[in-house]
Amino acid sequence: MGSLLRIPVLLVLCIFFQSSACGQDVGTEPFGRSQGTTKARKPSQETETRFLLFKDKGDRQGCQLRLQSPETLQECGFNSSQPLVMVIHGWSVDGLLESWIWKMMGALKSQQSQPVNVGLVYWISLAYQHYAVAVRNTRIVGQEVAALLLWLEESVRFSRSKVHLIGYSLGAHVSGFAGSAMGGKHKIGRITGLDPAGPLFEGASPNDRLSPDDADFVDAIHTFTREHMGLSVGIKQPVAHYDFYPNGGSFQPGCHFLELYKHIAEHGLNAITQTIKCAHERSVHLFVDSLLHSGLQSTGFQCSDMDSFSQGLCLNCKRSRCNTMGYDIRRNRSGKSRRLFLITRAQSPFRVYHYQFKIQFTNQIEKPGEPTFTMSLLGTKGEMKKIPITLGEGIARNKTYSFLITLDKDIGQLIVIKFKWENSAVWTNVWNTVQTIMPWGMEPHYSGLILKTIWVKAGETQQRMTFCPENVEDLQLHPTQEKVFVKCELNSKRLKPKGR
């Protein structure tokens, strides 16, 4: 499976660079690093970058704002009392705007609780270039965006604190350059980077990429950081106050190259392109999803890496260690970037519910094979059956096993856990052999597992729960057997079952 993934990643990197590494010559110098912050330049009225304002969610034409032409503000319906959200697209393969832009525009315009001015930074002529050329153009476009915002500040006293730039891929770095070019003591309100581009930006200084210094609040969603030949489509390093890494950030569910046949049915001849950019563009759809499903906000949890998160070790919301991913993020700034992890579904709505489970066996078994368990969870709103659990080869005495389980639906408050040792040929043979050769009256070596307690923490509610066996007279768990655990409470160092 890993070898199959190398194919789309290599294709993406070839498309990104169109360079001699892939059989073509860019014919340009490498992207130069700048020293310090570049100030916004004073562009003429007509630039290659166009600023379009959209009046309603069905508008696909937009109305062009022209610098030094205040009449266009009224013509385009700009409301200075409302915030301004400007979307900035990324590098272009074909010179056309991608379809996600209209979904984003519609979702932003559908916000009835807080209406906003919705605009688009249309820099397609500068983005439809060899990748290295488009990279250099990001700084130019950023300066032009800053010039627009400064003009709004001067002409209609529009506060930069009410500006929110949403940049995808190269557009994320355009947003950063715009923010740093504003100058003055005050910064623009917010920048959101949607899988900020990695090639020629990974490892760059904060002045040469999106960084937390570019706005009062910066958040980023990383969805395609898988490396090939030392490069990744999306930047891996943190670039914001809150950096979200859904599913670890390296790749996304439903985007495997094996999904090509499904994409052919949906996109026809564009299926290969859609498959290749699926994980990269997932950042956009996660953000749009947060607008369309405001009642199903996804939560990310601060963690050092995905391995620790997969053990359920990071479901902690104290001291701003968790946050909502997407439009309604809580703007809690911190001194350094916070890396947040979460699991998502393969399609919208993307939210899942995170649970940490901890179990400890009071005896042990040898290693004739890897025991497999399942858990069925019963809550006040529903049930999830037979969730597979793998703890590794053998079971050690008094070792605490911690693991993460995610549910696609809200089952409410957890009230019952059914823990089952699933049937396997090797364990059945071992069990039958031991039962046969042991003399009557002697306890066999494989006398089953004893599991007295299951600890649970719900990430979304931060609720901690303890479960103990419903039948305390029969604690041994044998292959193919299922035990029922109910909520219990710690009282005088003894676990007492709660009423069901």
Side-chain angles (χ1 to χ4, degrees), residues 192 214 394:
T192 298
D214 297 328

Side-chain angles (χ1 to χ4, degrees), residues 230-432:
L231 298 170
S232 62
V233 174
I235 199 167
K236 294 179 66 175
Q237 68 187 98
V239 294
H241 293 109
Y242 282 87
D243 289 84
F244 292 86
Y245 294 83
N247 308 294
S250 62
F251 205 64
Q252 300 303 311
C255 289
H256 196 278
F257 216 58
L258 296 177
E259 300 282 324
L260 178 59
Y261 294 112
K262 176 182 176 181
H263 291 159
I264 289 175
E266 295 180 4
H267 305 287
L269 296 176
N270 294 323
I272 293 180
T273 302
Q274 291 293 327
T275 304
I276 290 173
K277 70 180 183 179
C278 176
H280 192 37
E281 196 175 292
R282 179 62 58 84
S283 57
V284 171
H285 299 294
L286 289 169
F287 192 87
V288 171
D289 184 70
S290 74
L291 288 160
L292 298 180
H293 300 97
S294 57
L296 294 172
Q297 300 289 322
S298 294
T299 301
F301 302 87
Q302 185 174 342
C303 202
S304 58
D305 52 59
M306 191 60 188
D307 287 340
S308 298
F309 185 75
S310 298
Q311 296 177 54
L313 301 178
C314 303
L315 302 186
N316 186 353
C317 285
K318 293 181 179 178
R319 299 178 182 176
S320 301
R321 293 179 64 86
C322 74
N323 208 333
T324 302
M325 182 179 70
Y327 187 73
D328 292 321
I329 190 172
R330 298 187 307 277
R331 301 190 190 187
N332 300 325
R333 290 189 52 176
S334 59
K336 60 180 181 178
S337 297
R338 294 179 183 266
R339 290 161 49 92
L340 281 70
F341 293 81
L342 67 155
I343 303 297
T344 72
R345 284 160 34 93
Q347 61 279 325
S348 178
F350 291 99
R351 176 178 180 168
V352 303
Y353 299 84
H354 300 79
Y355 293 86
Q356 179 195 22
F357 285 81
K358 293 195 296 184
I359 60 177
Q360 186 183 79
F361 298 96
T362 59
N363 60 341
Q364 66 185 41
I365 56 176
E366 303 301 327
K367 301 181 180 179
E370 185 174 313
T372 300
F373 307 97
T374 61
M375 287 200 309
S376 296
L377 308 176
L378 176 64
T380 55
K381 296 181 181 179
E383 184 177 11
M384 292 292 287
K385 296 182 178 180
K386 306 201 79 167
I387 302 167
I389 307 297
T390 302
L391 303 179
E393 292 187 3
I395 298 297
R397 181 192 302 269
N398 294 330
K399 176 181 177 181
T400 300
Y401 295 88
S402 178
F403 50 91
L404 181 74
I405 285 180
T406 59
L407 306 181
D408 287 356
K409 66 177 183 179
D410 181 12
I411 63 171
Q413 189 172 357
L414 190 58
I415 52 178
V416 174
I417 299 174
K418 296 178 181 179
F419 193 92
K420 183 177 181 180
W421 187 346
E422 289 295 332
N423 186 24
S424 73
V426 63
W427 277 110
T428 301
N429 291 338
V430 169
W431 179 257
N432 292 338

Side-chain angles (χ1 to χ4, degrees), residues 52-54 78 82-88 104-105 108-109 111 114-121 149 158 162-167 190 192 287 291 327 331:
L52 305 178
L53 207 64
F54 294 80
F78 182 79
Q82 296 177 357
L84 170 63
V85 181
M86 297 207 74
V87 177
I88 308 177
M104 177 75 78
M105 295 297 171
L108 288 168
K109 291 300 292 186
Q111 296 303 297
Q114 187 186 24
V116 296
N117 298 289
V118 178
L120 172 68
V121 178
L149 301 180
F158 186 76
K162 295 163 64 175
V163 174
H164 180 187
L165 302 180
I166 303 174
R190 178 182 174 187
T192 298
F287 192 87
L291 288 160
Y327 187 73
R331 301 190 190 187

